[in-house]
Amino acid sequence: MTFQSTLEEIYAEVRPMSGEGEVADYIPALAQIDSTKFGIAIETIEGECFQVGDAAERFSIQSIGKVFNLALCVGIAGDRVWDRVGMEPSGNPFNSLVQLEVEGGIPRNPFINAGALVVADTLLDHLDNPNEDLLDFVQKLRGSDVHFNQKVVNSEKQHGHINTALLHFMKAHGNLNHEVDDVLDAYYHQCSIEMGCAGLARSFLFLANGGVVPGTGARVLAASQAKRVNAVMLTCGFYDQAGMFAYLVGLPGKSGVGGGIVAVIPGKLAIAVWSPKLNSHGNSVLGIKVLELFTTRTGMSIF
Ligand code: GLN
């Protein structure tokens, strides 16, 4: 089956909506991105690739990197990851301090910022070079080179006061083992990974393929672990819009404030969209629309 014509049709139909939303400007390095960029890519587990628009251009994957962070951590620490972070939807913005206070410093899930910071802290328990190890891990998933954007790391370090506050808060509650600056360094590197839609879709194929990277056959996670990462993406991948994403799209997925969204159809494919303008939940406006149309037209969702 070829998806090329479906992608081209949806691209043309959705493009006129590109006035909606705002580029994330609380991270100054992201505010400089051309907001008209728009790309879509599909990679199948059989090795087919379909692309349209700016699908090859690299962008800051931001919170999509939280999935790599979690997968690496689950592969190393197994179920112990869940000792310090929950697995319930937050129903709150990704950087909420309020919920963390009410819940005694235990983040609701690994995809809000507080949760990803705890996962990064857990990785520091096990790894001497967490940034290099994360890069190696993502390169193994993608099958080619992956880079951090140092400008984005520096920009986040200068302006990420809420993340610093979340960490101090968790430290005060005994839910942080390492120094705040060390955890921030690991977390901001994870957020600053750059990839294009095609590379991003390829690097998520292991989640469509029971934890095994198609092509190389490398097992990254046990099948049950991959299933669970997908479950957490479905319930928590879009913060306080997770319910609506499941309703409109019906796939496990993850967004980032760089404007990327990647979603997985287990047993078949991964699809990534990039359009920098975000809705009030921090999710790409065109990204959600593209995925809604894709699953509706093809009839392919997990439901
Ligand atoms: N680096 C961003 C932050 O910490 C990630 C947020 C996101 O993509 N939702 O705020």
Side-chain angles (χ1 to χ4, degrees):
M1 173 175 186
T2 175
F3 292 111
Q4 191 62 37
S5 53
T6 312
L7 287 193
E8 283 168 15
E9 222 176 85
I10 293 174
Y11 184 87
E13 202 172 317
V14 169
R15 182 139 195 97
M17 293 170 53
S18 62
E20 290 177 36
E22 302 290 336
V23 174
D25 57 3
Y26 74 101
I27 302 169
L30 295 183
Q32 296 162 12
I33 305 301
D34 175 356
S35 67
T36 65
K37 294 288 178 187
F38 183 28
I40 316 172
I42 288 175
E43 297 268 343
T44 70
I45 56 179
E46 274 88 35
E48 297 158 298
C49 174
F50 307 94
Q51 327 190 353
V52 59
D54 302 309
E57 190 167 327
R58 289 185 299 164
F59 60 93
S60 188
I61 69 167
Q62 290 294 315
S63 283
I64 296 172
K66 291 171 180 170
V67 180
F68 298 138
N69 204 28
L70 178 66
L72 180 60
C73 200
V74 164
I76 294 170
D79 282 345
R80 278 171 298 150
V81 172
W82 307 110
D83 292 347
R84 296 171 50 205
V85 60
M87 55 176 81
E88 296 298 338
S90 67
N92 273 286
F94 61 79
N95 55 3
S96 172
L97 283 153
V98 175
Q99 189 168 55
L100 196 61
E101 173 160 30
V102 173
E103 299 187 354
I106 308 290
R108 270 286 173 100
N109 69 64
F111 295 150
I112 53 173
N113 288 12
L117 290 163
V118 164
V119 174
D121 185 58
T122 306
L123 279 174
L124 293 187
D125 290 343
H126 299 275
L127 304 173
D128 293 331
N129 302 301
N131 299 341
E132 281 167 38
D133 290 346
L134 182 67
L135 218 49
D136 286 348
F137 178 70
V138 180
Q139 279 170 186
K140 187 165 155 188
L141 301 178
R142 187 189 166 188
S144 58
D145 277 4
V146 178
H147 305 277
F148 296 124
N149 181 329
Q150 201 56 45
K151 217 174 115 190
V152 173
V153 174
N154 296 342
S155 188
E156 295 213 57
K157 281 188 178 175
Q158 274 168 26
H159 299 272
H161 305 298
I162 295 181
N163 290 327
T164 310
L166 290 167
L167 282 168
H168 280 291
F169 196 81
M170 292 191 287
K171 189 96 180 160
H173 279 275
N175 196 17
L176 199 73
N177 296 335
H178 298 271
E179 293 305 320
V180 165
D181 284 347
D182 295 337
V183 181
L184 283 175
D185 187 71
Y187 171 75
Y188 287 141
H189 276 87
Q190 165 240 282
C191 290
S192 80
I193 292 173
E194 287 193 322
M195 278 196 259
C197 292
L200 191 56
R202 200 170 321 130
S203 63
F204 267 68
L205 277 178
F206 77 106
L207 291 172
N209 195 39
V212 173
V213 180
T216 66
R219 176 164 291 286
V220 177
L221 291 180
S224 67
Q225 291 173 323
K227 181 185 76 178
R228 287 173 174 159
V229 171
N230 283 335
V232 182
M233 285 204 293
L234 180 78
T235 51
C236 309
F238 298 84
Y239 322 114
D240 45 345
Q241 203 184 12
M244 185 176 284
F245 189 84
Y247 180 87
L248 294 174
V249 178
L251 294 176
K254 187 73 202 81
S255 63
V257 293
I261 297 184
V262 59
V264 168
I265 304 186
K268 294 195 171 68
L269 57 84
I271 175 167
V273 189
W274 175 43
S275 167
K277 287 193 171 177
L278 311 176
N279 63 22
S280 58
H281 307 279
N283 300 321
S284 170
V285 176
L286 296 197
I288 292 179
K289 195 68 200 167
V290 164
L291 292 168
E292 179 192 351
L293 292 178
F294 180 76
T295 55
T296 305
R297 301 236 166 118
T298 59
M300 292 168 80
S301 85
I302 62 166
F303 298 109

